[in-house]
Amino acid sequence: MTIECESNLKGQAMSPAAPALTTVIAAVTIPGETTPRVEFTPAAVGTLRELWSEVGPLMFHQSGGCCDGSSPMCFPAGEFITSDRDVLLGRLDIAPAGETAQVVDFWMSAEQFEYWSHTFLTVDLVPGRGSGFSLEAPRGVRFLIRSRLMDSFG
Amino acid sequence: MTVYANPGTPGAKVTFKPRYENWINGGWVKPVKGQYFEDISPVNGKPFAEVARGTAEDIELALDAAHRAAPAWGKTTATERAAVLNKIADVIDANKELLAVAETWDNGKPIREPLNADLPLASDHFRYFAAAIRSQDGDHAELDNDTVSYQFHEPLGVVGQIIPWNFPILMAVWKLAPALAAGNAIVMKPAEQTPVSIMVLIELIGDILPPGVLNIVNGFGLEAGKPLASSPRIRKIAFTGETTTGRLILQYASANIIPATVELGGKSANIFFSDVAQEQDSFYDKAQEGFVLFAFNQGEVCTAPSRALLQKPIYESFLGSAIERTRKAIQGNPLDTDTQVGAQASNDQLEKILSYIDIGKQEGARLALGGERVDLGGELSGGYYVQPTIFEGNNKMRIFQEEIFGPVLAVTSFSDYEDAISIANDNLYGLGAGVWSRNGNVAYRAGRDIHAGRVWVNNYHHYPAGAAFGGYKSSGIGRENNKLALGHYQQTKNLLVSYSEKPLGFF
C-alpha cells in the first residue's frame, strides 16, 4: 500500500522555535505483518507532545460502543490495563527528530479488531468537548479516527 | 406548531445562570481550583453558560457530604423515601416546558422529544421506583423448627454515577431513582457535553432531598470522573458510555472490590420479515415508522435501530417507501415543536459521524439518502446538523458494526429466518433489537434467538418504566428501568436466628 505523508500544517500556530510537526506513522507490531496500521496527523502529534510534557508517557486504546464510542482514548501509559484480549496495532514515536524517543502504543480489543482489521486508522484532532476519560478533553479538542481501506493485509 | 423562545430571551421558559457551580450538600459550591469551562449549545454552536470544572478536591467535598447524609437517609422508611421520589416527579411534571427547553438547548434534541418522552418518562420513573421500593419485601426461610434465616435489603451507602449526554436528564434519572429509592447517597458526574440541564433540575428539586443525599460535580473524565470512579469512599459505581471507559471503570472497581454496572451501547438490528408487507395497512405504516426511528434523537441512542435487515422479497418496495418517509423528516430549529430531527450534541460527534459516512462510501456501501452536513442558516448556521442518512451494504462493513451515534442507517437483506438471526447476532454488542412480523410464532422465536437484552417486537424505542433494560455481550453489565435495578444499589443482610434454648453440644 502507499502511505500518504502529506504534512497537514495548515492552521498550526507555531513559534519559530517549535519543532516541526509531521505525520507520524506507526511501527508495525503485529507478528507477521509488514504494513503499518496507524498514523497520527501533525495536529494530533502537536497535542500529544504537549500532553506528554505534562503527564509523561501516553497510550491509546480504541473505544467502541455508546456515546463517544469509536473514539480513540488517550491515557497516561499504564492507566488502562491491557490484556491478551487486546491487540497492539502499532507504536508511534512522537518525539521531534533527533530527540529521545517518545513512544505511544495504540491498542484495540481483539474482538473489535476482527471488524476493523481491513482499515488503516488516522488519528486526527478536531475541536470538541469530550469525552470519556481521554486526556485531551479539557483542552476543547478531541482525537478523532479517520479511516481508509488497507490496500493489502500484511 | 410552537416555537419556544431561545433561553434568556423575552418570553423564554428558562433563563440560564451565567455560571453553574457544583451542587454539594444541598447548595452551590464553587470548585476548589476555581476553574470553569464553557457549555456550548449544539443548536447554534455558541457557549451559553460557564460550568464548574471539578477536580478530585471537589469530588472529596461531595463524598464528605454524601457520607454525612448516608446513614440517616439509609434509615428512612421506604414510605418516606417514596414520598420524596413522588414529590420530585410532581416537580418535573410541573416544570416540563422549562426543563424541555433547557434539555434541548444543552443537547440539541428536537423539543417534541423532551416534552413527550424524556420528561414524562423521567417523572414516571421516579414514581415507578417509589412504588417498587414500597412493594419490595425481604424474605425469610424457616431452615428448621428453631432456625430462621431473614434476608434484608440494605443500602450500599455512598455510590458514584457517571451519566451520558444523549438523554442528560432521563439517563440521570434512570440511575438516580433506584439509588435514592434504595436509600443511598449519591455523587454524580454529568457528561461534559451536557452539564447544565441536570443543574436546572437540581435547582428545582434540591430542597426536596436532605442535604448531601444527592451531590453533582461537573468536570472532565480524568479530572473528575476518575477520582469518583476510583475512590475507596464509594460502594458502587454506575456508568453509561463507551467500551474503553467502561473497562477502565471496571478496572477501578476491581481495585476497590466494589460492584459496577456499565451500559456500553450497541448496534441494534431491526428485522423486517416479508409478511410485514402482506397488507398496506396501519401495521405496515407502523413498521415503516419503526424503520425511520433510526433518526430519533439524531441517532444518539444506545439502542438506535441502526442496522435494518429486510427480507429479500420486500427489500426493494419496503426500502423505497421507507427512504421516502425518511426524506420527509423535518430537520430544523430544535425549539420548534414541528422539528423531527435536531442537532448532534457536539462538534466532535458531528465530525465522527461524517468520518463514518466517509468510511461507508470507501467500503462500497451505496448511499441511498443524505450523507451531508446541513447548514440550516441564520442563527442555526453554527449548529451541528447532519442529514438523516441511509446506506445499503453488508454486515461486515464497519458502518454495520459500530455505533455511529448519528442519524445513519445501514440496510441489508436476508434470505430466511436463520440468515436474519445470524446477521443480527454477528456483532460485538447486544443491547437492543427489533423484530417485525405478523406471525406471532416467528416474532417470538426471533425475539428469543437474538442475543440482546431488549428486543422490541412490533414496536421500537419504547422505554416504559418496568421493562428491564441492559446489555448482552459487550453492551455491558446490569439492568435498569426495572425493579431489578434496586438490586444494584442494595446489599443483602442475612440474620440467621436460633430460637432454640439448647446448646449446640460441640464443646
Side-chain angles (χ1 to χ4, degrees), chain B residues 244-294:
Chain B
T244 291
T245 306
R247 280 178 59 180
L248 201 54
I249 296 276
L250 293 167
Q251 290 174 8
Y252 295 147
S254 79
N256 287 322
I257 314 183
I258 59 170
T261 45
V262 291
E263 196 269 83
L264 305 177
K267 187 70 184 178
S268 303
N270 205 7
I271 304 173
F272 298 85
F273 286 96
S274 287
D275 62 41
V276 165
Q278 209 168 281
E279 307 278 343
Q280 299 288 308
D281 56 1
S282 178
F283 179 74
Y284 184 78
D285 188 49
K286 182 186 184 188
Q288 285 271 311
E289 184 190 35
F291 175 102
V292 184
L293 281 171
F294 76 91

Side-chain angles (χ1 to χ4, degrees), chain A residues 61 63-70 79 81 86 111 115-116 118-119 127 129-131 133 135 147-149, chain B residues 38 193 222 226 241-244 247 251-252 264 302 347-348 352 356 362-363 398 402-403 426 429 474:
Chain A
H61 191 274
S63 192
C66 180
C67 308
D68 307 287
S70 318
E79 177 77 20
I81 303 167
D86 292 293
E111 60 172 16
Y115 291 104
W116 285 54
H118 62 293
T119 50
R129 183 44 85 199
S131 175
F133 285 23
L135 274 167
S147 309
R148 64 171 186 263
L149 299 183
Chain B
E38 285 181 327
Q193 294 96 329
L222 266 188
K226 180 189 170 185
E242 28 67 44
T243 55
T244 291
R247 280 178 59 180
Q251 290 174 8
Y252 295 147
L264 305 177
C302 297
N347 180 65
D348 47 307
K352 186 179 83 177
Y356 270 100
Q362 287 188 54
E363 286 187 297
R398 281 186 44 195
E402 292 151 40
E403 185 161 9
D426 179 13
Y429 304 102
S474 290

